[in-house]
Amino acid sequence: MMSLLVVDDEIIIADGLYQMLQETFQDELVVRRCYSFYEAQRILENNRIDILLTDIEMPDRTGLELHRWVSERWPMVRVIYLTGYSDFGYARQALQQQAMAYVLKSEGDQVIVKAVEGA
């Protein structure tokens, strides 16, 4: 079974995504969630993650930094960025780091589900 980690400093968003993805992919994915870069590091040090769904802009460190960090340990990880920013600079960096998708939070659950299915 594949595993997915949701990382978002907005607790309501992380919890909502966790719930939605658990229900949608209940027989296909083990879904975990956390609320910061450092929590994600702790989880990733002890668990293999196949898909990382991460916010870009977080108070402690960015999702871009998390992507670089996790790629050194799990080179086959598939990363989906979830953000409230339609900033071209972020999108460009995400593509340079070979992200699977760059999804705006305002695009809704179906876009996120499609991105996870693609990963």
Side-chain angles (χ1 to χ4, degrees):
M1 186 175 286
M2 294 183 74
S3 60
L4 179 143
L5 176 62
V6 174
V7 185
D8 199 310
D9 62 302
E10 294 182 62
I11 293 170
I12 194 164
I13 290 175
D15 289 350
L17 287 169
Y18 170 79
Q19 183 101 23
M20 184 267 296
L21 292 168
Q22 268 199 319
E23 290 171 8
T24 304
F25 297 102
Q26 62 185 333
D27 298 326
E28 302 167 57
L29 287 174
V30 172
V31 181
R32 293 180 173 86
R33 71 176 175 291
C34 62
Y35 312 107
S36 74
F37 175 96
Y38 297 109
E39 274 185 281
Q41 272 188 317
R42 283 191 294 276
I43 290 170
L44 291 161
E45 285 172 347
N46 299 305
N47 300 279
R48 183 182 67 103
I49 299 295
D50 299 297
I51 304 168
L52 175 64
L53 175 60
T54 184
D55 189 7
I56 286 185
E57 203 49 54
M58 295 182 282
D60 45 8
R61 308 263 310 261
T62 69
L64 296 163
E65 291 171 295
L66 181 59
H67 184 172
R68 283 191 294 273
W69 184 87
V70 74
S71 291
E72 292 173 5
R73 285 143 187 85
W74 306 107
M76 300 304 289
V77 70
R78 296 166 192 101
V79 178
I80 300 167
Y81 288 108
L82 181 67
T83 184
Y85 300 93
S86 57
D87 182 309
F88 179 73
Y90 281 146
R92 185 183 52 200
Q93 282 183 286
L95 289 172
Q96 288 172 342
Q97 289 182 211
Q98 300 179 336
M100 292 289 302
Y102 183 89
V103 179
L104 296 176
K105 291 178 180 178
S106 60
E107 291 184 280
D109 291 349
Q110 286 299 55
V111 176
I112 296 166
V113 167
K114 289 228 181 278
V116 171
E117 286 172 344

